[in-house]
Amino acid sequence: MSTELVSHTTEELIGLFPPGTRPDADGTLMVGGCRLDDIAEEFGTPAIVVNEDALRQRARDYLAAFRSRWPRADVAFASKSFPCTAVQRVMAEEGLHLDVAGGGEIVTAVKAGADPAKLVLHGNAKTDEEITLAVEHGVGLVVVDNFDDIDRLERIVPAGRQQGCLVRVIPGVEAATHASQATGHAGSKFGLMPDDARRAIARIEASPRLRLDGVHTHVGSQLLNTEQLAAAVEPIAKLGTFDVYDLGGGLGVRYTYDDHAPSLDDYAEAMVGQARALLPEGSRIIVEPGRSMVGTSACTVYRVTTVKRGQIVHVAVDGGMGDNLDVSLTGQRFEATIVNRVGGGETVTVVGRHCESGDQLVDGVELQDPKVGDLLAIPVTGAYCYTMSNQYNGARRVPVVFARNGKTRLVVRRDTWDDLLIRDVD
């Protein structure tokens, strides 16, 4: 989709990159004190670059924002947004719980050194294998999404043990976001309507192998209105008095100049304000940030492979929908810049290397004199890029590089050509 362009300052553009990003003396962008051209030289392109200090500070800020307002508050990082073992390890080291959305995220969380008792397992279609993994590892909370979850838990949890559970409730809130990111509306595949939730609560309370700790809700993702997020508290408050109220996540981030994301303090005040008004004093609340925890901590660096001038100037790079599916999936807008010539210039469309017309990274963005061989950086790629990376057209999945205090650390390597064959059995 075409966008009417307005020129923006270099400072505005750099402001979309991870906190602390700045140009070096020659104008080349630096993230975590490391030049992006040096990172590209060492690790190749495309590559996801994470400012580790920014990631850690965001975790600390989240905990402080909620615990200063509600002492029994926990923050559970929604691992699905960036389920890299190293990212999960950072969150665990900073005192966060982890929200895991399946067996694979349990495995990486355990490898990351997370305390299994601080894991919250989600999923609308949990399998016997995943429930077994959760029970064997001692996952603290299983979010019951349906009655089949209860059947499986009662069958798999051994006699003499009790599994802590939360019942997921559909709050009936129509989220102002992309349809694929809305989860709190009637008809959502996630959770139970309040009457069914009451039945699930009664079943769990009557089960000798299950323990009802509380209720859970979630409105959607990339929400830029705190009122919509806070609106989910009342429906679960009406279900009764519990020890735990999990309020979900969903806070949006600023991807483009036109986005106006609420501050963390505004979000915490809105959620805790509703908790003070509606929830029992002394109860425990949990929030589950994903995108707003990691989104702005990373950028992706590409190499320009082709510049095609015609009716539209197409600047093609060596990545695309294999490392950033969010554009094709949700229509998410991103911004971009040449790494050593930051800021505006001619209007171009940045496209990927994949054999799909829909493989478009940014439609209508100003770049300064783009040429073959240039490095191009796209900010705000810390959420839902790594996790949805794929091998379409035989692409090798991209590496993740942590940058901190002028030093780099490879935490996920790039696929090798042999990796594309490793699952073949014939």
PDB file of all heavy atoms in Angstrom, residues 361-390:
ATOM      1  N   LEU A 361       9.119  -5.339   1.796  1.00  0.00           N
ATOM      2  CA  LEU A 361       9.447  -4.962   3.166  1.00  0.00           C
ATOM      3  C   LEU A 361       8.930  -3.573   3.532  1.00  0.00           C
ATOM      4  O   LEU A 361       8.383  -3.381   4.610  1.00  0.00           O
ATOM      5  CB  LEU A 361      10.958  -5.046   3.386  1.00  0.00           C
ATOM      6  CG  LEU A 361      11.519  -6.470   3.487  1.00  0.00           C
ATOM      7  CD1 LEU A 361      13.034  -6.462   3.448  1.00  0.00           C
ATOM      8  CD2 LEU A 361      11.020  -7.153   4.751  1.00  0.00           C
ATOM      9  N   VAL A 362       9.134  -2.594   2.650  1.00  0.00           N
ATOM     10  CA  VAL A 362       8.636  -1.241   2.919  1.00  0.00           C
ATOM     11  C   VAL A 362       8.190  -0.616   1.600  1.00  0.00           C
ATOM     12  O   VAL A 362       8.990  -0.469   0.674  1.00  0.00           O
ATOM     13  CB  VAL A 362       9.707  -0.327   3.558  1.00  0.00           C
ATOM     14  CG1 VAL A 362       9.044   0.949   4.084  1.00  0.00           C
ATOM     15  CG2 VAL A 362      10.475  -1.018   4.657  1.00  0.00           C
ATOM     16  N   ASP A 363       6.919  -0.242   1.535  1.00  0.00           N
ATOM     17  CA  ASP A 363       6.377   0.402   0.333  1.00  0.00           C
ATOM     18  C   ASP A 363       6.421   1.909   0.531  1.00  0.00           C
ATOM     19  O   ASP A 363       5.713   2.457   1.360  1.00  0.00           O
ATOM     20  CB  ASP A 363       4.936  -0.059   0.098  1.00  0.00           C
ATOM     21  CG  ASP A 363       4.345   0.546  -1.158  1.00  0.00           C
ATOM     22  OD1 ASP A 363       5.116   1.071  -1.982  1.00  0.00           O
ATOM     23  OD2 ASP A 363       3.113   0.505  -1.320  1.00  0.00           O
ATOM     24  N   GLY A 364       7.249   2.588  -0.254  1.00  0.00           N
ATOM     25  CA  GLY A 364       7.306   4.025  -0.177  1.00  0.00           C
ATOM     26  C   GLY A 364       8.107   4.511   1.008  1.00  0.00           C
ATOM     27  O   GLY A 364       7.561   4.860   2.047  1.00  0.00           O
ATOM     28  N   VAL A 365       9.439   4.523   0.860  1.00  0.00           N
ATOM     29  CA  VAL A 365      10.314   5.009   1.930  1.00  0.00           C
ATOM     30  C   VAL A 365      11.431   5.817   1.279  1.00  0.00           C
ATOM     31  O   VAL A 365      11.846   5.531   0.146  1.00  0.00           O
ATOM     32  CB  VAL A 365      10.884   3.838   2.762  1.00  0.00           C
ATOM     33  CG1 VAL A 365      11.785   2.947   1.921  1.00  0.00           C
ATOM     34  CG2 VAL A 365      11.603   4.338   3.998  1.00  0.00           C
ATOM     35  N   GLU A 366      11.895   6.836   1.958  1.00  0.00           N
ATOM     36  CA  GLU A 366      12.955   7.667   1.403  1.00  0.00           C
ATOM     37  C   GLU A 366      14.327   7.121   1.793  1.00  0.00           C
ATOM     38  O   GLU A 366      14.616   6.932   2.977  1.00  0.00           O
ATOM     39  CB  GLU A 366      12.812   9.111   1.891  1.00  0.00           C
ATOM     40  CG  GLU A 366      11.599   9.824   1.314  1.00  0.00           C
ATOM     41  CD  GLU A 366      11.562  11.287   1.687  1.00  0.00           C
ATOM     42  OE1 GLU A 366      12.370  11.711   2.545  1.00  0.00           O
ATOM     43  OE2 GLU A 366      10.726  12.014   1.126  1.00  0.00           O
ATOM     44  N   LEU A 367      15.157   6.859   0.770  1.00  0.00           N
ATOM     45  CA  LEU A 367      16.529   6.419   0.987  1.00  0.00           C
ATOM     46  C   LEU A 367      17.475   7.357   0.251  1.00  0.00           C
ATOM     47  O   LEU A 367      17.158   7.843  -0.842  1.00  0.00           O
ATOM     48  CB  LEU A 367      16.741   4.987   0.479  1.00  0.00           C
ATOM     49  CG  LEU A 367      15.911   3.868   1.112  1.00  0.00           C
ATOM     50  CD1 LEU A 367      16.274   2.537   0.464  1.00  0.00           C
ATOM     51  CD2 LEU A 367      16.113   3.809   2.620  1.00  0.00           C
ATOM     52  N   GLN A 368      18.650   7.580   0.823  1.00  0.00           N
ATOM     53  CA  GLN A 368      19.651   8.432   0.191  1.00  0.00           C
ATOM     54  C   GLN A 368      20.483   7.639  -0.809  1.00  0.00           C
ATOM     55  O   GLN A 368      21.281   6.778  -0.421  1.00  0.00           O
ATOM     56  CB  GLN A 368      20.588   9.038   1.244  1.00  0.00           C
ATOM     57  CG  GLN A 368      20.000  10.181   2.029  1.00  0.00           C
ATOM     58  CD  GLN A 368      21.086  10.926   2.792  1.00  0.00           C
ATOM     59  OE1 GLN A 368      22.149  11.245   2.244  1.00  0.00           O
ATOM     60  NE2 GLN A 368      20.826  11.212   4.059  1.00  0.00           N
ATOM     61  N   ASP A 369      20.237   7.889  -2.095  1.00  0.00           N
ATOM     62  CA  ASP A 369      21.069   7.364  -3.181  1.00  0.00           C
ATOM     63  C   ASP A 369      21.407   5.881  -3.019  1.00  0.00           C
ATOM     64  O   ASP A 369      22.580   5.493  -2.934  1.00  0.00           O
ATOM     65  CB  ASP A 369      22.363   8.189  -3.260  1.00  0.00           C
ATOM     66  CG  ASP A 369      23.177   7.875  -4.509  1.00  0.00           C
ATOM     67  OD1 ASP A 369      22.576   7.408  -5.506  1.00  0.00           O
ATOM     68  OD2 ASP A 369      24.403   8.057  -4.482  1.00  0.00           O
ATOM     69  N   PRO A 370      20.390   5.008  -2.960  1.00  0.00           N
ATOM     70  CA  PRO A 370      20.674   3.578  -2.744  1.00  0.00           C
ATOM     71  C   PRO A 370      21.424   2.952  -3.917  1.00  0.00           C
ATOM     72  O   PRO A 370      21.099   3.193  -5.079  1.00  0.00           O
ATOM     73  CB  PRO A 370      19.269   2.978  -2.602  1.00  0.00           C
ATOM     74  CG  PRO A 370      18.373   3.924  -3.339  1.00  0.00           C
ATOM     75  CD  PRO A 370      18.958   5.287  -3.146  1.00  0.00           C
ATOM     76  N   LYS A 371      22.433   2.146  -3.599  1.00  0.00           N
ATOM     77  CA  LYS A 371      23.254   1.490  -4.606  1.00  0.00           C
ATOM     78  C   LYS A 371      23.470   0.025  -4.233  1.00  0.00           C
ATOM     79  O   LYS A 371      23.415  -0.338  -3.055  1.00  0.00           O
ATOM     80  CB  LYS A 371      24.613   2.190  -4.731  1.00  0.00           C
ATOM     81  CG  LYS A 371      24.562   3.624  -5.177  1.00  0.00           C
ATOM     82  CD  LYS A 371      25.954   4.168  -5.456  1.00  0.00           C
ATOM     83  CE  LYS A 371      26.616   4.760  -4.252  1.00  0.00           C
ATOM     84  NZ  LYS A 371      25.943   5.847  -3.594  1.00  0.00           N
ATOM     85  N   VAL A 372      23.750  -0.788  -5.233  1.00  0.00           N
ATOM     86  CA  VAL A 372      24.094  -2.188  -4.994  1.00  0.00           C
ATOM     87  C   VAL A 372      25.305  -2.251  -4.065  1.00  0.00           C
ATOM     88  O   VAL A 372      26.285  -1.528  -4.248  1.00  0.00           O
ATOM     89  CB  VAL A 372      24.400  -2.907  -6.323  1.00  0.00           C
ATOM     90  CG1 VAL A 372      24.959  -4.310  -6.063  1.00  0.00           C
ATOM     91  CG2 VAL A 372      23.147  -2.983  -7.180  1.00  0.00           C
ATOM     92  N   GLY A 373      25.202  -3.103  -3.049  1.00  0.00           N
ATOM     93  CA  GLY A 373      26.279  -3.252  -2.078  1.00  0.00           C
ATOM     94  C   GLY A 373      26.062  -2.472  -0.802  1.00  0.00           C
ATOM     95  O   GLY A 373      26.735  -2.726   0.202  1.00  0.00           O
ATOM     96  N   ASP A 374      25.136  -1.497  -0.842  1.00  0.00           N
ATOM     97  CA  ASP A 374      24.836  -0.750   0.381  1.00  0.00           C
ATOM     98  C   ASP A 374      24.249  -1.665   1.446  1.00  0.00           C
ATOM     99  O   ASP A 374      23.612  -2.686   1.132  1.00  0.00           O
ATOM    100  CB  ASP A 374      23.803   0.352   0.098  1.00  0.00           C
ATOM    101  CG  ASP A 374      24.398   1.596  -0.530  1.00  0.00           C
ATOM    102  OD1 ASP A 374      25.622   1.765  -0.444  1.00  0.00           O
ATOM    103  OD2 ASP A 374      23.627   2.389  -1.101  1.00  0.00           O
ATOM    104  N   LEU A 375      24.430  -1.259   2.687  1.00  0.00           N
ATOM    105  CA  LEU A 375      23.743  -1.911   3.797  1.00  0.00           C
ATOM    106  C   LEU A 375      22.494  -1.109   4.128  1.00  0.00           C
ATOM    107  O   LEU A 375      22.531   0.125   4.196  1.00  0.00           O
ATOM    108  CB  LEU A 375      24.644  -1.989   5.030  1.00  0.00           C
ATOM    109  CG  LEU A 375      25.861  -2.902   4.913  1.00  0.00           C
ATOM    110  CD1 LEU A 375      26.738  -2.761   6.150  1.00  0.00           C
ATOM    111  CD2 LEU A 375      25.444  -4.354   4.710  1.00  0.00           C
ATOM    112  N   LEU A 376      21.397  -1.816   4.318  1.00  0.00           N
ATOM    113  CA  LEU A 376      20.120  -1.204   4.661  1.00  0.00           C
ATOM    114  C   LEU A 376      19.653  -1.776   5.987  1.00  0.00           C
ATOM    115  O   LEU A 376      19.766  -2.990   6.215  1.00  0.00           O
ATOM    116  CB  LEU A 376      19.095  -1.472   3.561  1.00  0.00           C
ATOM    117  CG  LEU A 376      17.681  -0.921   3.763  1.00  0.00           C
ATOM    118  CD1 LEU A 376      17.121  -0.406   2.430  1.00  0.00           C
ATOM    119  CD2 LEU A 376      16.740  -1.970   4.325  1.00  0.00           C
ATOM    120  N   ALA A 377      19.155  -0.914   6.873  1.00  0.00           N
ATOM    121  CA  ALA A 377      18.694  -1.368   8.188  1.00  0.00           C
ATOM    122  C   ALA A 377      17.221  -1.030   8.365  1.00  0.00           C
ATOM    123  O   ALA A 377      16.772   0.063   8.001  1.00  0.00           O
ATOM    124  CB  ALA A 377      19.511  -0.726   9.296  1.00  0.00           C
ATOM    125  N   ILE A 378      16.492  -1.973   8.938  1.00  0.00           N
ATOM    126  CA  ILE A 378      15.078  -1.787   9.276  1.00  0.00           C
ATOM    127  C   ILE A 378      14.954  -1.912  10.791  1.00  0.00           C
ATOM    128  O   ILE A 378      15.337  -2.939  11.369  1.00  0.00           O
ATOM    129  CB  ILE A 378      14.190  -2.819   8.570  1.00  0.00           C
ATOM    130  CG1 ILE A 378      14.206  -2.553   7.057  1.00  0.00           C
ATOM    131  CG2 ILE A 378      12.764  -2.787   9.109  1.00  0.00           C
ATOM    132  CD1 ILE A 378      13.333  -3.492   6.248  1.00  0.00           C
ATOM    133  N   PRO A 379      14.421  -0.883  11.465  1.00  0.00           N
ATOM    134  CA  PRO A 379      14.282  -0.943  12.928  1.00  0.00           C
ATOM    135  C   PRO A 379      13.025  -1.675  13.364  1.00  0.00           C
ATOM    136  O   PRO A 379      12.151  -2.011  12.546  1.00  0.00           O
ATOM    137  CB  PRO A 379      14.222   0.538  13.314  1.00  0.00           C
ATOM    138  CG  PRO A 379      13.578   1.206  12.136  1.00  0.00           C
ATOM    139  CD  PRO A 379      14.034   0.436  10.924  1.00  0.00           C
ATOM    140  N   VAL A 380      12.916  -1.908  14.643  1.00  0.00           N
ATOM    141  CA  VAL A 380      11.745  -2.498  15.315  1.00  0.00           C
ATOM    142  C   VAL A 380      11.462  -3.907  14.783  1.00  0.00           C
ATOM    143  O   VAL A 380      10.331  -4.258  14.453  1.00  0.00           O
ATOM    144  CB  VAL A 380      10.486  -1.600  15.196  1.00  0.00           C
ATOM    145  CG1 VAL A 380       9.499  -1.935  16.319  1.00  0.00           C
ATOM    146  CG2 VAL A 380      10.831  -0.122  15.269  1.00  0.00           C
ATOM    147  N   THR A 381      12.507  -4.726  14.712  1.00  0.00           N
ATOM    148  CA  THR A 381      12.333  -6.108  14.243  1.00  0.00           C
ATOM    149  C   THR A 381      12.595  -7.126  15.355  1.00  0.00           C
ATOM    150  O   THR A 381      12.862  -8.296  15.081  1.00  0.00           O
ATOM    151  CB  THR A 381      13.263  -6.396  13.047  1.00  0.00           C
ATOM    152  OG1 THR A 381      14.620  -6.150  13.426  1.00  0.00           O
ATOM    153  CG2 THR A 381      12.905  -5.520  11.855  1.00  0.00           C
ATOM    154  N   GLY A 382      12.491  -6.686  16.614  1.00  0.00           N
ATOM    155  CA  GLY A 382      12.726  -7.603  17.723  1.00  0.00           C
ATOM    156  C   GLY A 382      11.573  -8.539  18.014  1.00  0.00           C
ATOM    157  O   GLY A 382      11.747  -9.538  18.720  1.00  0.00           O
ATOM    158  N   ALA A 383      10.395  -8.234  17.488  1.00  0.00           N
ATOM    159  CA  ALA A 383       9.221  -9.069  17.774  1.00  0.00           C
ATOM    160  C   ALA A 383       8.663  -9.683  16.501  1.00  0.00           C
ATOM    161  O   ALA A 383       8.477  -8.994  15.493  1.00  0.00           O
ATOM    162  CB  ALA A 383       8.137  -8.228  18.457  1.00  0.00           C
ATOM    163  N   TYR A 384       8.407 -10.975  16.542  1.00  0.00           N
ATOM    164  CA  TYR A 384       7.714 -11.715  15.495  1.00  0.00           C
ATOM    165  C   TYR A 384       8.455 -11.755  14.159  1.00  0.00           C
ATOM    166  O   TYR A 384       7.858 -12.071  13.136  1.00  0.00           O
ATOM    167  CB  TYR A 384       6.285 -11.183  15.315  1.00  0.00           C
ATOM    168  CG  TYR A 384       5.482 -11.367  16.569  1.00  0.00           C
ATOM    169  CD1 TYR A 384       5.247 -10.303  17.435  1.00  0.00           C
ATOM    170  CD2 TYR A 384       5.011 -12.621  16.936  1.00  0.00           C
ATOM    171  CE1 TYR A 384       4.554 -10.478  18.625  1.00  0.00           C
ATOM    172  CE2 TYR A 384       4.309 -12.805  18.115  1.00  0.00           C
ATOM    173  CZ  TYR A 384       4.089 -11.739  18.955  1.00  0.00           C
ATOM    174  OH  TYR A 384       3.403 -11.910  20.128  1.00  0.00           O
ATOM    175  N   CYS A 385       9.745 -11.476  14.148  1.00  0.00           N
ATOM    176  CA  CYS A 385      10.553 -11.655  12.941  1.00  0.00           C
ATOM    177  C   CYS A 385      11.347 -12.955  13.052  1.00  0.00           C
ATOM    178  O   CYS A 385      11.164 -13.866  12.247  1.00  0.00           O
ATOM    179  CB  CYS A 385      11.463 -10.453  12.726  1.00  0.00           C
ATOM    180  SG  CYS A 385      10.556  -8.972  12.223  1.00  0.00           S
ATOM    181  N   TYR A 386      12.199 -13.051  14.079  1.00  0.00           N
ATOM    182  CA  TYR A 386      12.933 -14.297  14.302  1.00  0.00           C
ATOM    183  C   TYR A 386      11.986 -15.482  14.419  1.00  0.00           C
ATOM    184  O   TYR A 386      12.200 -16.544  13.821  1.00  0.00           O
ATOM    185  CB  TYR A 386      13.782 -14.174  15.568  1.00  0.00           C
ATOM    186  CG  TYR A 386      14.351 -15.496  16.056  1.00  0.00           C
ATOM    187  CD1 TYR A 386      15.532 -16.006  15.529  1.00  0.00           C
ATOM    188  CD2 TYR A 386      13.700 -16.231  17.039  1.00  0.00           C
ATOM    189  CE1 TYR A 386      16.048 -17.208  15.966  1.00  0.00           C
ATOM    190  CE2 TYR A 386      14.212 -17.438  17.494  1.00  0.00           C
ATOM    191  CZ  TYR A 386      15.384 -17.932  16.949  1.00  0.00           C
ATOM    192  OH  TYR A 386      15.872 -19.134  17.386  1.00  0.00           O
ATOM    193  N   THR A 387      10.912 -15.319  15.181  1.00  0.00           N
ATOM    194  CA  THR A 387      10.043 -16.452  15.482  1.00  0.00           C
ATOM    195  C   THR A 387       9.313 -16.976  14.246  1.00  0.00           C
ATOM    196  O   THR A 387       8.967 -18.147  14.183  1.00  0.00           O
ATOM    197  CB  THR A 387       9.034 -16.068  16.588  1.00  0.00           C
ATOM    198  OG1 THR A 387       8.307 -17.224  16.987  1.00  0.00           O
ATOM    199  CG2 THR A 387       8.063 -15.002  16.124  1.00  0.00           C
ATOM    200  N   MET A 388       9.079 -16.106  13.260  1.00  0.00           N
ATOM    201  CA  MET A 388       8.382 -16.543  12.046  1.00  0.00           C
ATOM    202  C   MET A 388       9.331 -16.705  10.866  1.00  0.00           C
ATOM    203  O   MET A 388       8.889 -16.824   9.722  1.00  0.00           O
ATOM    204  CB  MET A 388       7.260 -15.567  11.701  1.00  0.00           C
ATOM    205  CG  MET A 388       6.122 -15.593  12.689  1.00  0.00           C
ATOM    206  SD  MET A 388       4.621 -14.737  12.138  1.00  0.00           S
ATOM    207  CE  MET A 388       5.121 -13.032  12.312  1.00  0.00           C
ATOM    208  N   SER A 389      10.641 -16.716  11.125  1.00  0.00           N
ATOM    209  CA  SER A 389      11.592 -16.895  10.035  1.00  0.00           C
ATOM    210  C   SER A 389      11.422 -18.282   9.426  1.00  0.00           C
ATOM    211  O   SER A 389      11.003 -19.232  10.086  1.00  0.00           O
ATOM    212  CB  SER A 389      13.026 -16.687  10.528  1.00  0.00           C
ATOM    213  OG  SER A 389      13.364 -17.624  11.528  1.00  0.00           O
ATOM    214  N   ASN A 390      11.722 -18.387   8.151  1.00  0.00           N
ATOM    215  CA  ASN A 390      11.429 -19.622   7.424  1.00  0.00           C
ATOM    216  C   ASN A 390      12.451 -19.839   6.315  1.00  0.00           C
ATOM    217  O   ASN A 390      13.325 -18.994   6.078  1.00  0.00           O
ATOM    218  CB  ASN A 390      10.010 -19.566   6.855  1.00  0.00           C
ATOM    219  CG  ASN A 390       9.805 -18.378   5.934  1.00  0.00           C
ATOM    220  OD1 ASN A 390      10.193 -18.394   4.775  1.00  0.00           O
ATOM    221  ND2 ASN A 390       9.222 -17.292   6.475  1.00  0.00           N
TER     222      ASN A 390
END
